[in-house]
Coordinates of all heavy atoms in Angstrom, one line a residue:
S417 N -40.1 45.2 -60.2 CA -38.8 45.7 -60.5 C -38.1 44.8 -61.5 O -38.4 43.6 -61.6 CB -38.0 45.6 -59.1 OG -36.7 46.0 -59.3
Y418 N -37.3 45.4 -62.4 CA -36.7 44.6 -63.5 C -35.4 44.0 -63.0 O -34.6 44.6 -62.3 CB -36.4 45.5 -64.6 CG -37.5 46.3 -65.2 CD1 -37.4 47.7 -65.2 CD2 -38.6 45.7 -65.7 CE1 -38.5 48.5 -65.6 CE2 -39.7 46.5 -66.2 CZ -39.6 47.9 -66.1 OH -40.6 48.6 -66.6
S419 N -35.1 42.8 -63.5 CA -33.7 42.4 -63.5 C -33.0 42.9 -64.7 O -32.0 43.5 -64.7 CB -33.6 40.8 -63.5 OG -33.9 40.4 -62.2
I420 N -33.7 42.7 -65.9 CA -33.3 43.3 -67.1 C -34.5 43.9 -67.7 O -35.5 43.3 -67.9 CB -32.7 42.2 -68.1 CG1 -31.4 41.6 -67.5 CG2 -32.4 42.9 -69.5 CD1 -30.8 40.5 -68.4
G421 N -34.4 45.2 -68.0 CA -35.6 45.9 -68.6 C -35.2 46.5 -69.9 O -34.1 47.0 -70.1
S422 N -36.1 46.5 -70.9 CA -35.9 47.2 -72.1 C -37.2 47.7 -72.6 O -38.2 46.9 -72.7 CB -35.3 46.2 -73.2 OG -35.1 46.9 -74.4
Q423 N -37.3 49.0 -73.0 CA -38.6 49.5 -73.4 C -38.6 50.1 -74.8 O -39.6 50.3 -75.4 CB -38.9 50.7 -72.4 CG -39.2 50.1 -71.0 CD -39.6 51.2 -70.1 OE1 -39.2 52.4 -70.2 NE2 -40.5 50.9 -69.1
I424 N -37.4 50.3 -75.4 CA -37.3 50.7 -76.8 C -36.2 49.9 -77.4 O -35.2 49.5 -76.8 CB -37.1 52.2 -77.0 CG1 -35.9 52.6 -76.2 CG2 -38.3 53.0 -76.5 CD1 -35.5 54.1 -76.5
G425 N -36.3 49.7 -78.7 CA -35.2 49.0 -79.4 C -35.6 48.3 -80.7 O -36.7 47.7 -80.8
F426 N -34.7 48.3 -81.6 CA -34.9 47.6 -82.9 C -33.7 46.8 -83.2 O -32.6 47.2 -83.1 CB -35.2 48.6 -84.0 CG -36.4 49.4 -83.8 CD1 -36.4 50.6 -83.1 CD2 -37.7 48.9 -84.3 CE1 -37.6 51.3 -82.9 CE2 -38.8 49.7 -84.1 CZ -38.8 50.9 -83.4
Q427 N -33.9 45.5 -83.6 CA -32.8 44.6 -84.0 C -31.8 44.5 -82.9 O -30.6 44.3 -83.2 CB -32.2 45.1 -85.3 CG -33.1 45.1 -86.5 CD -32.5 45.6 -87.7 OE1 -31.5 46.3 -87.7 NE2 -33.1 45.3 -88.9
N428 N -32.2 44.5 -81.7 CA -31.3 44.3 -80.5 C -31.3 42.8 -80.3 O -32.2 42.0 -80.5 CB -31.8 45.0 -79.3 CG -31.5 46.5 -79.4 OD1 -30.6 46.9 -80.1 ND2 -32.4 47.3 -78.8
S429 N -30.2 42.3 -79.6 CA -30.0 40.9 -79.3 C -29.7 40.9 -77.8 O -28.7 41.4 -77.3 CB -28.8 40.3 -80.0 OG -28.6 39.0 -79.7
I430 N -30.7 40.2 -77.0 CA -30.5 40.0 -75.6 C -30.5 38.5 -75.4 O -31.5 37.9 -75.4 CB -31.7 40.7 -74.8 CG1 -31.7 42.2 -75.2 CG2 -31.5 40.5 -73.3 CD1 -32.8 43.0 -74.5
V431 N -29.3 38.0 -75.2 CA -29.1 36.5 -75.3 C -28.2 36.1 -74.2 O -27.1 36.7 -74.0 CB -28.5 36.1 -76.7 CG1 -28.3 34.6 -76.8 CG2 -29.4 36.6 -77.8
G432 N -28.6 35.0 -73.6 CA -27.6 34.2 -72.7 C -27.2 35.0 -71.4 O -26.1 34.8 -71.0

Side-chain angles (χ1 to χ4, degrees):
S417 183
Y418 307 121
S419 285
I420 297 176
S422 178
Q423 294 182 326
I424 56 175
F426 297 87
Q427 297 180 340
N428 288 329
S429 177
I430 301 180
V431 178

